[in-house]
Amino acid sequence: MKVGIDFGTTRVVAAAVDRGNYPLVNFETPDGHVRDWFPPLIGVRGETRVYGWDAWLAQGQPGWTIVRSLKRCLKDAGPRTGIEIGGHTFEVRQLLQEMMAALRLQLREHSTLTLPLPDDGNKPLEIMLGVPANANSNQRFLTTEAAREAGFEVLGLLNEPSAAAVEFAHRDLVNRKGRSGGRLLVYDLGGGTFDASLIELGDGEHSIVASDGISTLGGDDFDEILAELALEAAGISSRERDSLSAAEWFILLDECRERKEALSPNTRKLTVDLERVRHNWREVSVSANVFYDRCRPLIESTRRVVDELLAAHPERPIDSLYVTGGGSELPPVARVLRESYGRRVRRSAYMRSATAIGLAIRADTQSGFVLRDRFMRNFGLWREADEGHGIVFDLVFPRGTELPGPKQPPLRSVRSYRPAHNVGHFRYLECARLAQDGRPVGEITDWDDIRFPFDPGLQDRADLAAVLVRRTPATAGFVVEETYTCDSSGNLAVAISNKSTGYEKRFRLGRWSEKQPKILSSRAAKRGA
């Protein structure tokens, strides 16, 4: 069984591959309801952890801390990054793996997914996973590994707006009876991230032209704005706000999310029941226009991303701007976009599920759809230049490089040189943009350093970080080769070898330090970050 899984910030949506159809998977909740989504929630009480619907039921219960939006933490996380929740520290990787395991159990035992016969019950679920278009390699690695460790067979990763484009193209091709083509911009505003992708549509084969986005903007931010407005309307003091527990913050944000999702273009006011948060508080009303005005600067920031993306690729105007993602359901989003793009704006009929459906189509080898995705960030490393008097950035894989397909060999890039030092100190990074002189600018993600012994006498040293890097003529006769690879999911690796001695080491590239910062404090946990 193949499934497309949109592992969203606030909701997980799954679509199945079923003989050319791609139905959404419904989940049975413990209280007897049926939902077409799974909550990516974590409930913590001491060392006890529960996930999904169990965490949902634990909200508001004494002693439980409920955390939502774990996906937002992945942007700055490495495999050993710790999250502090309720006075205890847990590794991001462990929490993500356990949540994936809870999702897998829910799919197998409490969903409408049609699974193999009992004697085939241990056959892995094959999944295509979505990730934000601007996700760095750490986020891609953590997502893939967590799913594999949870028992899924990961077919690959696909950028979320690219998946939405596949859904659009598949439906549009059917509606137009075989005629395809055009240029599409996917505007994907989800619960925690915003992505925009410019895509060329062809006859069954589509190509990503470019992507951009904001990794810290989504529907969660609208929830927080409404929560602040409700507290202001109720006259809640700063002191009282600071006294809110993690459980109370979760309930407040959940109440605001429900009110936000019930909005329609005709809504004049939102009623927020603060009594759900504390019994001595009251129900308050917030003007819809005031709420929209407070949200507008965030929406404008997404429009600027779209404008800049289109300005950078003026070869041909877009035919459609396809709006998808749960955060895009906020009425002023379409209003702001129509101010610039008019009738080209097309809202998806599947705002919250287009990505999952597109992932399922991508997973289906019989669908006939081919997507040529691209490297969304510049990847490279710092190198010494001018005999150590300067530093330059060596670009290994430029942003926009086309990624290989799921069954194609990985991209390769090779560097060969004669070393000048006893130890090679490699400092890698990803960046959104490069200046005209090749320097990284914009959003930059620094990775951990790795070290390689050019001096054969250091090959058995366990801690090369303690060795002073110095220039030495003893290594000048060696030939060193670096071979970089990038697979279809954007995962990076390097093999560094001394061709003269035959010594080689392989590294999976990312942020691997054991001394990772705690990226969620107890204060942040109160807001369910």
Side-chain angles (χ1 to χ4, degrees), residues 8 20 22 51 68 73 78 102 142 144 147-148 174 232 246 266 341 349 404 469 525 528:
Y22 308 98
Y51 298 87
R68 67 176 190 170
C73 299
L142 286 170
T144 303
R148 285 173 176 160
V174 172
E232 289 173 14
N266 298 322
Y341 304 104
V469 178

Side-chain angles (χ1 to χ4, degrees), residues 38-314:
F38 175 84
L41 300 177
I42 308 170
V44 177
R45 185 173 63 185
E47 291 290 340
T48 303
R49 299 178 298 283
V50 294
Y51 298 87
W53 296 115
D54 291 334
W56 182 277
L57 292 177
Q59 61 180 302
Q61 299 300 314
W64 285 95
T65 298
I66 308 300
V67 177
R68 67 176 190 170
S69 306
L70 179 65
K71 182 178 176 180
R72 275 196 168 183
C73 299
L74 299 181
K75 173 180 176 290
D76 298 312
R80 298 181 182 88
T81 300
I83 294 183
E84 182 185 317
I85 308 173
H88 296 269
T89 301
F90 307 95
E91 285 189 355
V92 172
R93 181 172 178 173
Q94 178 186 14
L95 295 176
L96 188 58
Q97 183 272 325
E98 291 175 355
M99 185 180 291
M100 290 281 194
L103 172 62
R104 180 175 176 272
L105 181 66
Q106 188 80 13
L107 285 167
R108 282 197 168 277
E109 298 185 4
H110 302 285
S111 81
T112 55
L113 195 64
T114 303
L115 294 171
L117 296 173
D119 59 343
D120 247 351
N122 292 323
K123 184 177 180 180
L125 284 173
E126 298 177 286
I127 63 171
M128 182 70 71
L129 279 166
V131 291
N134 59 351
N136 59 37
S137 291
N138 267 26
Q139 184 167 348
R140 294 170 187 273
F141 169 80
L142 286 170
T143 303
T144 303
E145 288 302 294
R148 285 173 176 160
E149 291 169 0
F152 289 111
E153 182 175 324
V154 181
L155 298 172
L157 300 184
L158 187 62
N159 293 331
E160 290 160 359
S162 302
V166 170
E167 179 274 327
F168 173 90
H170 180 267
R171 181 165 45 85
D172 199 50
L173 185 62
V174 172
N175 292 341
R176 294 198 289 174
K177 299 182 179 359
R179 292 179 290 110
S180 185
R183 176 170 279 201
L184 177 74
L185 190 137
V186 177
Y187 177 103
D188 182 8
L189 181 59
T193 59
F194 166 68
D195 287 306
S197 285
L198 187 58
I199 299 166
E200 290 281 0
L201 302 178
D203 291 324
E205 180 169 321
H206 319 299
S207 178
I208 309 301
V209 177
S211 292
D212 209 339
I214 304 173
S215 59
T216 55
L217 173 60
D220 280 1
D221 300 285
F222 302 148
D223 300 343
E224 292 202 5
I225 287 172
L226 182 55
E228 294 294 340
L229 287 172
L231 294 174
E232 289 173 14
I236 306 299
S237 67
S238 298
R239 183 176 180 180
E240 284 183 286
R241 296 183 197 191
D242 290 340
S243 71
L244 286 169
S245 67
E248 289 172 325
W249 267 112
F250 180 88
I251 293 170
L252 173 60
L253 292 174
D254 192 56
E255 166 71 8
C256 291
R257 177 189 59 78
E258 290 180 3
R259 301 306 176 188
K260 178 196 69 178
E261 292 179 354
L263 281 167
S264 75
N266 298 322
T267 302
R268 294 292 175 263
K269 66 178 181 179
L270 299 91
T271 302
V272 180
D273 185 6
L274 294 181
E275 193 175 3
R276 281 186 60 189
V277 184
R278 284 191 177 174
H279 293 300
N280 60 330
W281 287 0
R282 61 186 176 86
E283 189 176 85
V284 296
S285 293
V286 175
S287 164
N289 286 333
V290 170
F291 175 48
Y292 296 161
D293 288 345
R294 193 76 68 89
C295 293
R296 182 155 185 136
L298 298 181
I299 301 170
E300 291 286 358
S301 67
T302 67
R303 177 163 64 175
R304 285 193 293 273
V305 170
V306 172
D307 290 344
E308 291 169 3
L309 187 59
L310 293 177
H313 300 275

